[in-house]
Structures are given as C-alpha cells and as structure tokens.
Amino acid sequence: MKQIVELTINGDPHSLAVEGHRSLLDTLREEAGLTGTKKGCDVGDCGACTVIVDGEPVNACLMLAVEAQGRNVETVEGMQQSIDILHPLQDAFMRHGASQCGFCTPGILMMARKLIEENPDPSDDEIRFGLSGNICRCTGYTKIFDAVRSAAAEIRAVRAQEETV
C-alpha cells in the first residue's frame, strides 16, 4: 500500500507516493528522478548514497522514504548554484582529477560539503575523519583530499571577500 510523502528536495516541494518499505535512496532515484545519488552496497557501508537530511548526512539506503515526511533533503543535484556554475567542491574535484569512475563521488561531495560548512579550514586528519564513511576504490584518496583542501580555501576566500563588502 502506497502513502504520500511530502518533503522538500533541493529546495523544491515534492509529494511522492511510496510504499512503506521503500528506502529514501530508491525513492529519490525512481520516484523523484534524481539519479545522482548512487546505490553502492545498499547496507550503509560505502557512503555512495549520502544525502543531507535536515542538515545532517544520512545514508539514504538506510532511511525509509516515509521517515523523510516533512523534512528537507539535499542531494548532489542541489549543489550547483545554477546550471552554469558548479559548487566549488564540484569544480575542485574536476580540476584535481578527484574522481575516476565517479560512483562514490556524489556521496563524498555531500560529506565534504558538510565538513567544510562545519569546519572551513579542515586539516588532513579532519578531512580523513570527515570522509571516513565514504569508500572510494579508484582514486586512493590523495586527489580527493587535494580537492577538498582546494575547495575549502576557495570557499574561505569568497567568504572573506563577502565580509569585507
């Protein structure tokens, strides 16, 4: 039996008919048509499905869609400021070659964004800890860390400039 779940996804209200057992991940991909969030392990171990729910990172494969009733969900599709302007993290990942197959990238981007929001100047250890729930089998993490450091510096510079205006 389906029920209606009202939630906000990337700032837009959605009303989705879902079965009670459906995960938020499957609902985002299939009912909302947002396929950026990836299904990796489907048991919460890999982090590929990380989204932000009410400001906190969540493995979307472990959350039921009905639990998102009335909540705010942010996915990788919502990171871009506009169709022409990438989020600094997305841009840094491209410039530093921080993704290879790209499967883990959406979840890592969401975790890195949350990390930089909470800590605008993270050390390597803080980046390692902040991204520890996300597994990448291709890159070896060095380029990911380089991209996160670079994006954090860019975000700090923009914020500093905004503060002086």
Side-chain angles (χ1 to χ4, degrees):
M1 182 172 158
K2 291 188 177 185
Q3 62 188 90
I4 301 298
V5 175
E6 307 272 345
L7 69 161
T8 301
I9 305 172
N10 299 324
D12 297 323
H14 288 265
S15 180
L16 305 171
V18 299
E19 294 181 17
H21 69 275
R22 296 278 286 172
S23 70
L24 178 59
L25 171 61
D26 290 337
T27 300
L28 289 170
R29 292 182 57 80
E30 296 173 26
E31 278 74 30
L34 299 171
T35 58
T37 306
K38 303 300 183 214
K39 182 184 274 193
C41 66
D42 210 23
V43 294
D45 288 339
C46 73
C49 67
T50 303
V51 297
I52 307 296
V53 178
D54 290 339
E56 295 300 321
V58 170
N59 287 330
C61 71
L62 297 180
M63 182 176 188
L64 294 175
V66 295
E67 293 177 286
Q69 172 66 36
R71 299 178 84 180
N72 183 39
V73 178
E74 299 169 60
T75 71
V76 70
E77 288 93 345
M79 284 186 74
Q80 280 185 256
Q81 297 172 348
S82 73
I83 196 156
D84 298 325
I85 303 171
L86 293 174
H87 186 280
L89 274 163
Q90 292 169 313
D91 184 60
F93 266 61
M94 285 184 5
R95 284 186 287 109
H96 289 273
S99 64
Q100 289 180 14
C101 81
F103 205 80
C104 66
T105 305
I108 291 175
L109 285 169
M110 298 306 290
M111 284 298 292
R113 192 184 95 195
K114 181 66 177 170
L115 170 66
I116 292 171
E117 284 174 5
E118 292 179 353
N119 180 358
D121 192 10
S123 68
D124 285 351
D125 284 341
E126 290 165 330
I127 294 170
R128 186 174 295 106
F129 182 77
L131 301 181
S132 64
N134 296 83
I135 297 172
C136 175
R137 295 178 184 245
C138 299
T139 66
Y141 300 97
T142 300
K143 292 179 180 185
I144 293 171
F145 285 25
D146 292 344
V148 172
R149 279 192 303 276
S150 175
E154 181 180 338
I155 292 168
R156 284 193 313 275
V158 168
R159 287 181 185 159
Q161 185 178 16
E162 289 172 351
E163 290 174 3
T164 61
V165 173

